[in-house]
Short mmCIF file of all heavy atoms in Angstrom, two decimals:
data_model
loop_
_atom_site.label_atom_id
_atom_site.label_comp_id
_atom_site.label_asym_id
_atom_site.label_seq_id
_atom_site.Cartn_x
_atom_site.Cartn_y
_atom_site.Cartn_z
N VAL A 327 -37.58 46.23 -0.64
CA VAL A 327 -37.88 45.55 0.63
C VAL A 327 -38.01 44.06 0.42
O VAL A 327 -37.40 43.24 1.13
CB VAL A 327 -39.18 46.12 1.25
CG1 VAL A 327 -39.69 45.20 2.35
CG2 VAL A 327 -38.93 47.51 1.81
N ARG A 328 -38.79 43.68 -0.56
CA ARG A 328 -39.06 42.25 -0.76
C ARG A 328 -37.83 41.50 -1.25
O ARG A 328 -37.54 40.40 -0.76
CB ARG A 328 -40.23 42.09 -1.72
CG ARG A 328 -41.55 42.59 -1.14
CD ARG A 328 -42.74 42.18 -1.97
NE ARG A 328 -42.79 42.91 -3.23
CZ ARG A 328 -43.69 42.66 -4.18
NH1 ARG A 328 -44.57 41.71 -4.01
NH2 ARG A 328 -43.69 43.38 -5.29
N VAL A 329 -37.12 42.09 -2.19
CA VAL A 329 -35.95 41.39 -2.73
C VAL A 329 -34.85 41.27 -1.67
O VAL A 329 -34.19 40.22 -1.56
CB VAL A 329 -35.42 42.12 -3.98
CG1 VAL A 329 -34.07 41.56 -4.42
CG2 VAL A 329 -36.42 41.98 -5.12
N SER A 330 -34.64 42.33 -0.87
CA SER A 330 -33.59 42.28 0.14
C SER A 330 -33.87 41.18 1.17
O SER A 330 -32.96 40.46 1.57
CB SER A 330 -33.43 43.64 0.84
OG SER A 330 -34.59 43.96 1.58
N TYR A 331 -35.14 41.04 1.56
CA TYR A 331 -35.40 40.02 2.57
C TYR A 331 -35.45 38.62 1.98
O TYR A 331 -35.07 37.66 2.65
CB TYR A 331 -36.68 40.31 3.34
CG TYR A 331 -36.57 39.72 4.72
CD1 TYR A 331 -35.87 40.41 5.71
CD2 TYR A 331 -37.05 38.45 5.02
CE1 TYR A 331 -35.68 39.85 6.96
CE2 TYR A 331 -36.86 37.89 6.27
CZ TYR A 331 -36.18 38.60 7.23
OH TYR A 331 -35.97 38.04 8.46
N ALA A 332 -35.87 38.50 0.75
CA ALA A 332 -35.81 37.18 0.10
C ALA A 332 -34.36 36.73 -0.01
O ALA A 332 -34.04 35.56 0.23
CB ALA A 332 -36.46 37.25 -1.28
N ALA A 333 -33.46 37.66 -0.36
CA ALA A 333 -32.03 37.32 -0.43
C ALA A 333 -31.50 36.97 0.95
O ALA A 333 -30.66 36.06 1.10
CB ALA A 333 -31.25 38.50 -1.02
N HIS A 334 -31.96 37.68 1.99
CA HIS A 334 -31.57 37.35 3.36
C HIS A 334 -31.91 35.90 3.70
O HIS A 334 -31.09 35.15 4.24
CB HIS A 334 -32.26 38.31 4.33
CG HIS A 334 -32.27 37.83 5.75
ND1 HIS A 334 -31.17 37.93 6.59
CD2 HIS A 334 -33.26 37.24 6.49
CE1 HIS A 334 -31.48 37.42 7.77
NE2 HIS A 334 -32.73 37.00 7.74
N LEU A 335 -33.14 35.49 3.39
CA LEU A 335 -33.56 34.13 3.71
C LEU A 335 -32.78 33.09 2.93
O LEU A 335 -32.50 32.00 3.43
CB LEU A 335 -35.06 33.97 3.44
CG LEU A 335 -36.00 34.71 4.38
CD1 LEU A 335 -37.45 34.42 4.01
CD2 LEU A 335 -35.75 34.33 5.83
N MET A 336 -32.41 33.41 1.71
CA MET A 336 -31.59 32.48 0.93
C MET A 336 -30.25 32.23 1.61
O MET A 336 -29.72 31.12 1.57
CB MET A 336 -31.37 33.04 -0.48
CG MET A 336 -32.61 33.07 -1.34
SD MET A 336 -32.26 33.78 -2.98
CE MET A 336 -33.93 33.92 -3.65
N LEU A 337 -29.71 33.26 2.26
CA LEU A 337 -28.42 33.12 2.93
C LEU A 337 -28.57 32.51 4.32
O LEU A 337 -27.60 31.94 4.86
CB LEU A 337 -27.74 34.49 3.02
CG LEU A 337 -27.39 35.14 1.68
CD1 LEU A 337 -26.79 36.52 1.88
CD2 LEU A 337 -26.44 34.27 0.87
N VAL A 338 -29.75 32.62 4.92
CA VAL A 338 -30.00 31.98 6.22
C VAL A 338 -30.17 30.48 6.06
O VAL A 338 -29.81 29.69 6.95
CB VAL A 338 -31.25 32.59 6.89
CG1 VAL A 338 -31.62 31.82 8.14
CG2 VAL A 338 -31.03 34.05 7.23
N PHE A 339 -30.69 30.07 4.93
CA PHE A 339 -31.03 28.66 4.68
C PHE A 339 -29.91 27.69 5.08
O PHE A 339 -30.16 26.73 5.81
CB PHE A 339 -31.40 28.48 3.20
CG PHE A 339 -31.94 27.12 2.85
CD1 PHE A 339 -33.30 26.90 2.79
CD2 PHE A 339 -31.08 26.06 2.58
CE1 PHE A 339 -33.80 25.65 2.46
CE2 PHE A 339 -31.57 24.81 2.26
CZ PHE A 339 -32.94 24.60 2.20
N PRO A 340 -28.64 27.90 4.63
CA PRO A 340 -27.61 26.91 4.97
C PRO A 340 -27.27 26.85 6.45
O PRO A 340 -26.85 25.80 6.95
CB PRO A 340 -26.40 27.36 4.14
CG PRO A 340 -26.63 28.82 3.88
CD PRO A 340 -28.12 28.95 3.73
N ILE A 341 -27.46 27.96 7.19
CA ILE A 341 -27.17 27.96 8.62
C ILE A 341 -28.14 27.04 9.37
O ILE A 341 -27.76 26.31 10.29
CB ILE A 341 -27.26 29.40 9.18
CG1 ILE A 341 -26.08 30.23 8.69
CG2 ILE A 341 -27.30 29.41 10.69
CD1 ILE A 341 -24.76 29.88 9.34
N VAL A 342 -29.40 27.06 8.99
CA VAL A 342 -30.40 26.20 9.62
C VAL A 342 -30.31 24.77 9.08
O VAL A 342 -30.58 23.80 9.79
CB VAL A 342 -31.82 26.78 9.41
CG1 VAL A 342 -32.88 25.90 10.04
CG2 VAL A 342 -31.90 28.19 9.98
N PHE A 343 -29.91 24.65 7.82
CA PHE A 343 -29.79 23.33 7.19
C PHE A 343 -28.63 22.53 7.79
O PHE A 343 -28.70 21.30 7.87
CB PHE A 343 -29.56 23.51 5.68
CG PHE A 343 -29.62 22.24 4.89
CD1 PHE A 343 -30.83 21.73 4.47
CD2 PHE A 343 -28.46 21.55 4.56
CE1 PHE A 343 -30.89 20.56 3.73
CE2 PHE A 343 -28.50 20.38 3.83
CZ PHE A 343 -29.73 19.88 3.42
N PHE A 344 -27.59 23.22 8.24
CA PHE A 344 -26.39 22.57 8.75
C PHE A 344 -26.68 21.60 9.91
O PHE A 344 -26.36 20.41 9.82
CB PHE A 344 -25.40 23.66 9.19
CG PHE A 344 -24.02 23.16 9.50
CD1 PHE A 344 -23.06 23.03 8.51
CD2 PHE A 344 -23.67 22.83 10.80
CE1 PHE A 344 -21.79 22.57 8.79
CE2 PHE A 344 -22.40 22.38 11.10
CZ PHE A 344 -21.46 22.24 10.09
#
Side-chain angles (χ1 to χ4, degrees):
V327 165
R328 293 191 288 175
V329 170
S330 65
Y331 208 81
H334 162 79
L335 290 182
M336 292 179 188
L337 297 177
V338 173
F339 188 96
I341 289 287
V342 179
F343 189 84
F344 190 87

